[in-house]
């Protein structure tokens, strides 16, 4: 492998290494199974710190371009055969614990996977922008706006998605709505009735219930360590798939590039097949850069991209967005374009300026640091638990998954935690089909202070000690 770094070029050094190796694999110059240089050897060759190469390899591992074989090294992965072109330039909500009364009140420590840290919210900035918008507003701002949302905000969202998630879209493809629930309701009008849909199991139960309310026939597809089994879709006879490839809820699985290509290839085989990508928790990844969206690899217009600002900014910011493929955009304009936008034009203007002026990016950077510190604290406090529990989903997001090695039932783990004044969340709450042998619980850390996390883990140590 020969290439040259450009210290003065665009992108930091680890990104240049990552981009070069990724391109070599995608173009077939690095063949499947071909061994890569060790991190030490490549660092010496490039005259960079070994940690720089570690970061690049870590990102490639997360995306599934390479694999690590114990005691052997790193090897290029096989990708689905699919034409590549040159690349240009989750709503939150509490759920109830089945069989265990919800804990609440003073002294209860709630490891909710849905909560976020509001102490970092930029109240002064939001107040300043709001004042500016209202001071400079004219009668146009209080008139009925465009059905898809104001063009200025849609333009800003399309630019942000391209720079941060690799999403390729025009502002005309973006639809703004008050929450994912509304956008899924709108999507039902676009896709039509009685659409057969496949979902991961476990999955985000709120979306499952919404699809149920449409009377959609729903098939569940089991997951392996790489996410939804794409090879199972043909036998299910579905035309739509709801998937969370960048950080699956609740397992935390990051779908590698090979599996993503399988899903895209499945969608491209037949007309009127679509992938609904819920880009859950995509902003909060604590090692390397965010995983590109599935839509970024879509070359046939089969991915419907769904995102929200509720987790990144605040739950009260009821602004979500849908990115439609061109073919569905035509159908939306023809059959659903008369539906009014459900977000206030004032709120749209505030959010537009918040993103456009760089405040959103600075807020995300601040929150990543806050959440990274909590994430590392929780992982350190979990060290004594590793003999009895497997820990997964730690690569991104605001929760971890603990699975008992000793066969302790999920219900028993939840009950014993509740006795110590701690609320944890069973994985079975997200299962469409019950898993009687479930022994996993979710620990969310987003809404807890460092002191609360420490106190909660001490209580769980007492609750779960054998």
């Amino acid at each position: 492998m020969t290439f040259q770094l450009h210290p003065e070029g665009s992108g930091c050094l680890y990104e240049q290494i990552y981009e070069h190796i990724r391109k070599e694999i995608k173009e077939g110059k690095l063949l499947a199974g071909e061994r890569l240089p060790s991190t030490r050897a490549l660092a010496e060759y490039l005259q960079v710190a070994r940690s720089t190469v570690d970061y690049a390899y870590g990102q490639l591992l997360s995306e599934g371009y390479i694999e690590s074989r114990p005691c052997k090294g790193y090897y290029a992965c096989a990708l689905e055969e699919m034409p590549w072109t040159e690349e240009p330039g989750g709503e939150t909500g509490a759920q109830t614990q089945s069989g265990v009364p919800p804990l609440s009140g003073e002294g209860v420590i709630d490891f909710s996977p849905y909560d976020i840290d509001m102490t970092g919210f930029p109240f002064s900035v939001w107040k300043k922008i709001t004042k500016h918008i209202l001071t400079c507003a004219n009668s146009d701002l209080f008139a009925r706006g465009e059905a898809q949302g104001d063009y200025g905000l849609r333009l800003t969202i399309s630019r942000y998605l391209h720079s941060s998630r690799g999403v390729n879209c025009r502002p005309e493809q973006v639809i703004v709505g008050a929450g994912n629930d509304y956008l899924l309701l709108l999507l039902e009008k676009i896709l039509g009735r009685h659409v057969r849909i496949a979902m991961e199991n476990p999955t985000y139960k709120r979306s499952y219930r919404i699809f149920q309310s449409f009377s959609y026939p729903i098939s569940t597809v089991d997951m392996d360590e790489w996410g939804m089994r794409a090879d199972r879709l043909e036998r299910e006879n579905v035309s739509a798939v709801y998937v969370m490839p960048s950080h699956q809820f609740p397992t935390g699985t990051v779908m590698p590039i090979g599996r993503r290509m399988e899903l895209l290839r499945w969608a491209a085989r037949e007309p009127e097949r679509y992938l609904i990508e819920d880009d859950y928790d995509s902003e909060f990844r604590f090692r390397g850069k965010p995983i590109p969206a599935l839509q970024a690899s879509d070359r046939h217009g089969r991915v419907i991209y769904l995102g929200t600002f509720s987790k990144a900014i605040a739950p009260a910011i009821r602004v979500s967005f849908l990115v439609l493929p061109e073919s569905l955009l035509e159908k939306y304009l023809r059959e659903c374009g008369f539906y009014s936008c459900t977000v206030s034009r004032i709120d749209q203007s505030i959010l537009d300026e918040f993103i456009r002026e760089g405040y959103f990016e600075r807020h995300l950077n601040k929150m990543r640091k806050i959440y990274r510190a909590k994430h590392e604290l929780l992982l350190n406090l979990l060290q004594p638990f590793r003999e009895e529990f497997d820990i997964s989903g730690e690569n991104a997001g605001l929760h971890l998954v603990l699975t008992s090695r000793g066969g302790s039932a999920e219900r028993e783990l939840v009950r014993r935690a509740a006795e110590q004044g701690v609320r944890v969340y069973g994985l079975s709450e997200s299962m469409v089909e019950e898993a009687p042998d479930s022994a996993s619980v979710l620990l969310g850390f987003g809404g807890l202070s460092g002191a609360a996390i420490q106190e909660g883990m001490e209580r769980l140590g007492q609750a779960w000690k054998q």
Side-chain angles (χ1 to χ4, degrees):
M1 181 186 299
T2 59
F3 67 98
Q4 185 174 359
L5 295 177
H6 301 281
E8 304 301 325
S10 61
C12 58
L13 296 180
Y14 98 84
E15 286 181 333
Q16 293 183 41
I17 298 171
Y18 156 80
E19 290 290 354
H20 177 84
I21 297 176
R22 186 178 76 147
K23 185 177 180 182
E24 293 281 291
I25 294 173
K26 286 168 63 174
E27 294 180 351
K29 296 177 182 177
L30 268 175
L31 302 178
E34 187 171 344
R35 190 174 187 275
L36 276 69
S38 68
T39 56
R40 184 187 300 276
L42 187 56
E44 290 178 356
Y45 170 75
L46 296 173
Q47 294 295 295
V48 297
R50 188 175 177 182
S51 60
T52 302
V53 180
D54 284 335
Y55 272 120
Y57 277 23
Q59 186 72 22
L60 291 162
L61 271 170
S62 298
E63 296 185 25
Y65 286 101
I66 65 175
E67 63 178 335
S68 175
R69 300 178 186 174
C71 304
K72 292 184 179 181
Y74 296 96
Y75 294 80
C77 289
L79 303 186
E80 278 287 310
E81 293 184 3
M82 189 170 184
W84 294 89
T85 61
E86 283 299 315
E87 297 177 2
E91 291 287 307
T92 62
Q95 297 181 3
T96 58
Q97 299 281 108
S98 61
V100 180
L103 288 174
S104 61
E106 188 176 351
V108 172
I109 297 176
D110 189 351
F111 282 94
S112 171
Y114 310 104
D115 291 345
I116 67 172
D117 191 333
M118 287 302 298
T119 62
F121 183 79
F123 290 100
S124 60
V125 170
W126 200 264
K127 188 182 299 183
K128 182 182 74 173
I129 295 175
T130 303
K131 182 178 180 180
H132 174 258
I133 294 296
L134 293 176
T135 301
C136 300
N138 54 37
S139 59
D140 290 344
L141 188 60
F142 295 90
R144 182 187 296 272
E146 298 174 73
Q148 291 178 236
D150 287 353
Y151 184 85
L153 176 59
R154 290 187 283 125
L155 176 61
T156 298
I157 290 175
S158 66
R159 288 176 172 173
Y160 166 72
L161 290 178
H162 182 67
S163 63
S164 66
R165 309 292 299 118
V167 171
N168 300 304
C169 67
R170 301 180 298 118
E172 289 79 5
Q173 294 172 254
V174 178
I175 301 174
V176 174
N180 284 9
D181 293 3
Y182 165 76
L183 292 177
L184 289 177
L185 288 167
L186 187 62
L187 188 59
E188 190 257 351
K189 305 299 181 184
I190 299 170
L191 293 178
R193 296 184 177 182
H194 311 302
V195 172
R196 298 189 63 86
I197 189 169
M199 301 185 75
E200 299 153 316
N201 189 39
T203 189
Y204 184 43
K205 205 67 171 288
R206 188 178 184 88
S207 295
Y208 173 79
R209 292 185 179 122
I210 291 172
F211 289 129
Q212 267 191 324
S213 73
F214 301 158
S215 297
Y216 276 6
I218 303 174
S219 299
T220 56
V221 177
D222 289 335
M223 299 172 59
D224 59 17
E225 60 181 321
W226 304 123
M228 176 181 277
R229 292 282 303 272
D231 59 336
R232 302 284 177 87
L233 291 175
E234 291 292 350
R235 72 179 71 169
E236 298 296 339
N237 190 30
V238 297
S239 58
V241 174
Y242 175 89
V243 66
M244 295 171 278
S246 294
H247 184 234
Q248 202 272 345
F249 185 87
T251 65
T253 300
V254 177
M255 187 178 289
I257 188 66
R259 181 63 55 82
R260 293 173 182 230
M261 292 301 102
E262 291 177 29
L263 285 175
L264 289 168
R265 191 174 184 182
W266 168 85
R269 284 196 194 106
E270 299 288 343
E272 304 298 322
R273 280 183 176 177
Y274 294 100
L275 303 171
I276 304 169
E277 177 182 12
D278 189 342
D279 207 12
Y280 172 80
D281 246 0
S282 62
E283 295 89 356
F284 301 118
R285 178 169 164 76
F286 306 118
R287 183 177 174 85
K289 60 183 182 180
I291 305 296
L294 176 65
Q295 198 268 8
S297 300
D298 180 22
R299 301 295 179 260
H300 293 82
R302 297 307 177 88
V303 176
I304 302 165
Y305 182 87
L306 181 68
T308 180
F309 292 104
S310 293
K311 197 97 173 183
I313 303 179
I317 309 300
R318 300 289 297 167
V319 181
S320 295
F321 46 88
L322 194 66
V323 178
L324 293 177
E326 295 285 356
S327 58
L328 288 182
L329 176 61
E330 295 175 8
K331 187 174 182 181
Y332 161 79
L333 293 173
R334 184 175 63 250
E335 300 180 10
C336 307
F338 60 89
Y339 284 97
S340 298
C341 181
T342 52
V343 180
S344 157
R345 295 193 67 197
I346 295 175
D347 290 339
Q348 292 185 59
S349 298
I350 295 169
L351 180 59
D352 182 25
E353 186 169 329
F354 186 71
I355 301 173
R356 188 164 32 81
E357 296 299 323
Y359 295 113
F360 181 50
E361 189 61 36
R362 288 194 285 274
H363 174 64
L364 279 181
N365 290 335
K366 176 182 178 181
M367 296 312 299
R368 287 188 188 110
K369 290 180 182 179
I370 291 174
Y371 289 139
R372 183 182 294 114
K374 295 182 182 184
H375 179 259
E376 292 174 357
L377 172 63
L378 182 56
L379 284 175
N380 288 334
L381 293 172
L382 281 169
Q383 290 302 323
F385 292 74
R386 288 185 179 272
E387 290 186 4
E388 298 176 15
F389 291 89
D390 289 320
I391 301 169
S392 58
E394 68 272 28
N395 292 321
L398 303 182
H399 73 273
L400 304 175
V401 181
L402 272 64
T403 302
S404 172
R405 293 178 177 177
S408 296
E410 169 196 302
R411 184 188 181 92
E412 182 67 10
L413 293 172
V414 173
R415 184 190 64 78
R416 285 157 60 183
E419 290 176 351
Q420 295 293 328
V422 179
R423 187 177 184 188
V424 297
Y425 293 70
L427 185 70
S428 66
E429 292 294 320
S430 299
M431 299 291 288
V432 176
E433 297 176 358
E434 291 298 328
D437 58 347
S438 174
S440 299
V441 294
L442 277 60
L443 292 183
F445 55 86
L448 295 175
S449 66
I453 292 173
Q454 188 154 355
E455 171 67 20
M457 293 311 300
E458 290 176 1
R459 295 187 193 181
L460 288 179
Q462 298 173 11
W464 293 341
K465 63 182 179 182
Q466 299 299 321

